[in-house]
Amino acid sequence: MSEPSTGELHVTPPATTPTTSIDDAVAGLKFDAAGLLPAVVQDDGDGTVLMVAWMDAEAVRRTLSSGRTWFWSRSRRQYWQKGETSGHIQRVRSVTADCDRDTLLVRVEQVGPACHTGTRSCFSNPLRGDA
Amino acid sequence: MSEPSTGELHVTPPATTPTTSIDDAVAGLKFDAAGLLPAVVQDDGDGTVLMVAWMDAEAVRRTLSSGRTWFWSRSRRQYWQKGETSGHIQRVRSVTADCDRDTLLVRVEQVGPACHTGTRSCFSNPLRGDA
């Protein structure tokens, strides 16, 4: 908005959300003592649960504003964008909070495998059943 | 095993897992500093993500041995079986750990709505998108 006018119409990409809406959305969430909440990432096409990772308020903001998934790595203590190095990005289709507003469900279009091990979903170790 | 023999064949219900398998399964999981891990509960029929709740080792054991979902309530500091009072139980179809073995995906047959608010899924507060 502070950029000099070029005479061009500034079109907001459809994947993004206005800043005020983002601030409102983040303000309504409940983060744990470490400032984090779990985000369940689900394939928007067929419903496969791909992975679970952690977001703080800033990661939620980046996810909503960019239309790509951003997380906080608890082990590396830094932000990471899914697919930043592998190219296996996640295009955000919707973000929904649960009834307690302390967990997010992020539906995405997944490019390539979601798991760093090369499997489509990170959930590949059956404890029981036919999964 | 320590019960006196009644001459009857002891048939393990199909939904349960032998104790040794359960101990092995739990031993392979990574719990956080509070002894917990998040469990994503998904409808085995149509893939809807119903809820996320927390399990400690004992809740995982109860879930695997009973074929019903058991969780640890962080606020009430007690175990709870989903549907114990409402009747909206979850019949466990499979339990799968992720690549880090610090999150579980529990696929269930859900009886009634999963959410205490009466909605089918707890994820009913869209932050963005058409969910």
Side-chain angles (χ1 to χ4, degrees), chain A residues 15 17 25 29 38 40 42 47 49 52 54 60 64 67 74 92-99 101-105 115-117 122-131, chain B residues 15 17 25 29 38 40 42 47 49 52 54 60 64 67 74 92-99 101-105 115-117 122-131:
Chain A
T17 303
L29 298 175
V40 179
Q42 184 181 30
V49 174
V52 171
W54 297 83
V60 176
L64 292 174
R74 295 175 298 171
V92 177
R93 292 292 172 245
S94 66
V95 181
T96 310
D98 73 348
C99 52
R101 295 184 181 273
D102 62 3
T103 307
L104 293 180
L105 177 63
C115 193
H116 72 284
T117 64
C122 288
F123 291 92
S124 52
N125 299 302
L127 267 63
R128 212 205 77 197
D130 52 6
Chain B
T17 302
L29 298 175
V40 180
Q42 183 180 30
V49 174
V52 170
W54 297 82
V60 176
L64 292 174
R74 296 174 299 173
V92 177
R93 291 293 173 245
S94 66
V95 181
T96 311
D98 73 347
C99 52
R101 295 184 181 273
D102 62 2
T103 307
L104 292 180
L105 176 63
C115 193
H116 72 284
T117 64
C122 288
F123 292 92
S124 52
N125 300 301
L127 266 63
R128 213 206 75 196
D130 53 6

Side-chain angles (χ1 to χ4, degrees), chain A residues 30-34 36-38 54 98 100-103, chain B residues 32 34-38 52-56 71-80:
Chain A
K30 290 181 200 163
F31 298 90
D32 69 11
L36 301 171
L37 51 69
W54 297 83
D98 73 348
D100 295 328
R101 295 184 181 273
D102 62 3
T103 307
Chain B
D32 69 11
L36 302 171
L37 52 70
V52 170
W54 297 82
M55 293 185 183
D56 66 357
F71 304 102
W72 173 256
S73 169
R74 296 174 299 173
S75 55
R76 290 178 285 126
R77 302 198 60 75
Q78 62 182 40
Y79 294 102
W80 60 287

Side-chain angles (χ1 to χ4, degrees), chain A residues 17-29:
Chain A
T17 303
T19 308
T20 49
S21 302
I22 291 174
D23 288 341
D24 288 348
V26 173
L29 298 175

Side-chain angles (χ1 to χ4, degrees), chain A residues 53-116:
Chain A
W54 297 83
M55 292 185 183
D56 66 357
E58 174 61 18
V60 176
R61 273 189 212 101
R62 292 187 186 193
T63 296
L64 292 174
S65 63
S66 69
R68 300 290 180 270
T69 49
W70 279 89
F71 305 101
W72 173 256
S73 169
R74 295 175 298 171
S75 55
R76 289 177 287 127
R77 303 198 60 75
Q78 64 183 40
Y79 295 102
W80 59 288
Q81 187 200 339
K82 173 67 188 165
E84 198 169 20
T85 53
S86 67
H88 300 151
I89 62 167
Q90 296 171 333
R91 295 189 183 98
V92 177
R93 292 292 172 245
S94 66
V95 181
T96 310
D98 73 348
C99 52
D100 295 328
R101 295 184 181 273
D102 62 3
T103 307
L104 293 180
L105 177 63
V106 184
R107 292 184 63 113
V108 303
E109 178 195 333
Q110 171 72 54
V111 174
C115 193
H116 72 284

Side-chain angles (χ1 to χ4, degrees), chain A residues 1-6 8-13 16-20:
Chain A
M1 296 302 189
S2 60
E3 293 173 23
S5 172
T6 60
E8 293 172 20
L9 184 63
H10 182 75
V11 180
T12 304
T16 63
T17 303
T19 308
T20 49

